[in-house]
Amino acid sequence: MNAGNVTKVSSKITSKNQITIPKTVREFLKVRSTDTIEWQIEPNGRVMIVRSKPDLWQLVDEQEKKFGNLSTTEVDWGKDVESEDFD
């Protein structure tokens, strides 16, 4: 962003040192509640917040929660109703 297109938003730090990421920032970074962000701190004191790309093992964990893993038992749907004969 150049200096002419700067949007400023603010948020407060709670007593537990937590902040809520403002909606404007979440929408700009396209982040959701399960995403990870990175805080990049430069030597001059400037802090940049960027969306973090998940590593392979984060993706594996998400897929395992959603679909199970090799040791997950299959669902028994019961006896097949139709025959396997085709016309």
Side-chain angles (χ1 to χ4, degrees), residues 3-50:
N5 281 340
V6 174
T7 301
K8 293 185 179 185
V9 293
S10 63
S11 54
K12 289 189 176 188
I13 300 173
T14 68
S15 60
K16 294 183 179 183
N17 291 317
Q18 297 174 334
I19 62 166
T20 298
I21 301 170
K23 183 178 180 182
T24 306
V25 176
R26 292 191 316 263
E27 289 175 348
F28 182 80
L29 295 176
K30 298 179 180 145
V31 293
R32 297 175 299 180
S33 61
T34 58
D35 292 334
T36 303
I37 60 170
E38 290 180 3
W39 299 78
Q40 298 178 352
I41 305 169
E42 298 177 0
N44 63 2
R46 181 176 291 208
V47 177
M48 292 187 357
I49 303 170
V50 295

Side-chain angles (χ1 to χ4, degrees), residues 55-67:
D55 68 3
L56 172 65
W57 296 113
Q58 287 175 320
L59 293 173
V60 168
D61 288 341
E62 290 172 13
Q63 294 294 313
E64 183 178 18
K65 288 175 188 171
K66 188 173 182 179
F67 300 110

Side-chain angles (χ1 to χ4, degrees), residues 65-76:
K65 288 175 188 171
K66 188 173 182 179
F67 300 110
N69 58 30
L70 293 176
S71 62
T72 302
T73 56
E74 291 186 38
V75 175
D76 182 11

